[in-house]
Amino acid sequence: MSIDSLLNESDIRAFQDDGAAVLRGPFRNWVEVLAAGVGRNMAAPSADVRIYTGDEGTGRFFGDYCNWDRIPEYRRFIFDSPAAEIAARLMGSSTVRLFHEHVLVKEPKADVATPWHQDQPYYPVDGSQTCSLWIPLDKVPRDTSPEFVAGSHRWGRWFRPERFNKTPLNEDDDLEPVPDIDGARSQYRILGWALKPGDAIAFSYGTIHGAPANRQPTNARRAFSLRLVGDDARWAKRKGVTSPPFRRVTLAHGAVMDAPEFPLLRRG
């Protein structure tokens, strides 16, 4: 299947202008592969796994990352799917590197919302050519889907990173809190879509986004999110903790991200 059949100019324009765009069906042939990988991941999570439960202790919100080197289904998708080529077109980049993958599973009755946040302040990477591909492995109703504040990637502002339980990632980081989006929804253009397995939401690391709880009584909301970077990405040493922590990376601040943790998926 050609890349032109998976992505059109309006998708690219929406990604660049709004900081988020929905792509219909580019990974429908990869859903079973990714679902098998997520099952393997949940059965044997990494030391960095995070599991949250709501106030009533019902369904879990499971999150884990940086497992691509030990889960064969993830490797197959990352290296063999059209994800890197799609990201290259969206970012306007000749090269694409893996930054990391992130699995996010909200089980049925998982009464845990994903708070509004930007990904960029969590990450030890600088650059404007960034792309996350959030790929649902289950049908996602609109009221359970991630939401995005259109154009927020162009505000030129960084907001304080928090864990998904709303505790700060780093105390006294001098960053401003995320605006109260829910308290002033009419002031923003908020994007969100009902999704089918194999669709994708592409978004910039700087785009403010969040997601409702999964209050569906029987249906899970499994998602595989692939984080990719382009030509201008550089390693960034931050004060305090980053997420992911990338404990083994020895790159100098400002270096091209040429390291085993960040394989090159597309050459210029």
Side-chain angles (χ1 to χ4, degrees):
M1 188 175 292
S2 72
I3 192 67
D4 292 328
S5 68
L6 302 177
L7 191 68
N8 59 48
E9 288 301 319
S10 63
D11 298 327
I12 297 171
R13 195 160 51 247
F15 175 81
Q16 294 178 352
D17 292 346
D18 294 338
V22 65
L23 312 178
R24 296 299 185 184
F27 303 114
R28 63 171 64 96
N29 294 332
W30 290 91
V31 171
E32 290 185 8
V33 172
L34 289 175
V38 170
R40 189 189 300 269
N41 195 162
M42 294 184 74
S46 78
D48 291 314
V49 67
R50 293 287 182 271
I51 299 175
Y52 303 106
T53 56
D55 293 337
E56 298 182 4
T58 51
R60 301 179 304 167
F61 179 11
F62 173 98
D64 202 2
Y65 48 38
C66 299
N67 292 293
W68 65 270
D69 59 345
R70 70 183 184 90
I71 294 182
E73 293 88 354
Y74 293 176
R75 289 199 304 272
R76 182 179 165 195
F77 176 79
I78 289 166
F79 288 96
D80 295 342
S81 82
E85 187 63 34
I86 288 172
R89 297 279 188 95
L90 291 168
M91 295 187 293
S93 179
S94 62
T95 63
V96 176
R97 284 188 184 275
L98 173 66
F99 183 44
H100 71 286
E101 96 294 330
H102 195 172
V103 170
L104 301 154
V105 177
K106 291 185 178 180
E107 295 179 337
K109 300 181 181 180
D111 191 19
V112 184
T114 304
W116 293 101
H117 66 287
Q118 289 171 310
D119 287 341
Q120 181 69 77
Y122 291 79
Y123 290 166
V125 60
D126 287 330
S128 62
Q129 290 171 306
T130 63
C131 180
S132 286
L133 295 170
W134 193 96
I135 303 163
L137 308 181
D138 302 288
K139 186 176 180 180
V140 181
R142 172 64 182 85
D143 62 3
T144 307
S145 176
E147 296 186 310
F148 301 81
V149 179
S152 54
H153 66 309
R154 294 187 170 181
W155 289 358
R157 298 159 67 188
W158 281 26
F159 299 101
R160 179 172 300 128
E162 295 180 331
R163 298 178 179 88
F164 284 1
N165 63 1
K166 297 187 179 181
T167 60
L169 188 65
N170 294 295
E171 298 285 352
D172 303 320
D173 58 13
D174 297 325
L175 297 178
E176 61 180 307
V178 177
D180 181 9
I181 306 296
D182 287 325
R185 287 179 69 96
S186 63
Q187 297 180 21
Y188 305 97
R189 187 159 65 93
I190 295 176
L191 307 175
W193 304 272
L195 303 166
K196 295 180 180 179
D199 287 347
I201 301 174
F203 63 98
S204 164
Y205 294 176
T207 305
I208 295 176
H209 60 287
N214 180 23
R215 297 190 175 91
Q216 299 179 95
T218 58
N219 297 327
R221 195 219 67 180
R222 298 171 296 170
F224 179 89
S225 194
L226 189 63
R227 325 291 194 177
L228 304 168
V229 294
D231 297 337
D232 71 351
R234 298 293 182 270
W235 179 251
K237 291 188 176 181
R238 309 280 189 222
K239 293 180 180 178
V241 176
T242 64
S243 177
F246 289 114
R247 300 175 185 90
R248 298 190 300 272
V249 174
T250 59
L251 294 171
H253 180 78
V256 173
M257 295 175 66
D258 186 7
E261 292 82 0
F262 312 118
L264 189 65
L265 305 180
R266 184 185 191 274
R267 298 183 181 276

